[in-house]
Amino acid sequence: MARLPELMHRAFFQTISLLSPRGQGEVLRRYFDWWHRSPDPWQLGTDGYERHKYEATLGQVPARPYRRILEVGCSEGVFTGLLAAAHPRARIMGIDISHRALLRARDRTRDAAARTALVQADLVTLATGRAFDLVFCAETLYYVGRPDRLRRASERLAGVLAPGGVLVLVHPWPEAERLHRFVEEDRALSRIAHHVHDASHRPFSVAVYQHERRAAA
Ligand SMILES: C[S@@+](CC[C@H](N)C(=O)[O-])C[C@H]1O[C@@H](n2cnc3c(N)ncnc32)[C@H](O)[C@@H]1O
């Protein structure tokens, strides 16, 4: 059962999503710039649970020579740096709504700066073209709010996948069932792997989808 702080957290972001997409994006940008006022507000770089989640996520990715990788909601670039190390020949793009987070992500990924782009963008209005053969979105979809925004965000994630591309979603379990449902319903995507990691105090799901090989009309 969801805990009260989590219910309040979700209600807060549901309320923001009553605004227009543009208004919602503006409030989220300000909120997450404020949230990142001190470095690494979620301890993503130091927490053993987060490290375990990153390893579990990378372990679920089908072994292929990916060339263009996108991380949506990359925050300060902790996972982006791991991705760059795990895929040394790939070009990586990290997007986040917070400019302040991206400035720190730039520092964290400087070893791979020549092949890493960090871009301020809103998942809900994302338009980068059908260009990526591997896309990650972890611990971000619960900020999107009401169902029509979640549907829109899910469409954006599917819409940036190249034919045959792989999408990896990582969110708390069992809430992931709600957060991933529009991706599950997308007929251009098939789920090729799903693992629920329920041994820890905060269970999470890693779900992997593949876009159909044929280019969508
Ligand atoms: C909890 S952090 C997750 C970081 C990373 N994905 C991970 O798992 O380590 C969520 C990030 O999503 C970003 N974010 C929230 N809403 C967003 C949106 N609509 N578009 C892009 N980024 C967003 C926040 O700024 C924050 O950096």
Side-chain angles (χ1 to χ4, degrees), residues 74-90:
C74 65
S75 186
E76 298 186 8
V78 178
F79 186 64
T80 327
L82 296 178
L83 271 177
H87 297 278
R89 299 170 74 91

Side-chain angles (χ1 to χ4, degrees), residues 32 36 42 44 54 73 75 96-97 121-123 138-140 143:
F32 283 106
H36 286 94
W42 291 284
L44 300 176
Y54 294 147
S75 186
D96 202 282
I97 205 159
D122 181 352
L123 164 59
E139 304 290 347
T140 298
Y143 298 120

Side-chain angles (χ1 to χ4, degrees), residues 171-183:
H171 289 95
W173 182 262
E175 189 185 17
E177 289 193 297
R178 173 179 76 80
L179 296 172
H180 299 175
R181 75 180 189 279
F182 293 117
V183 170

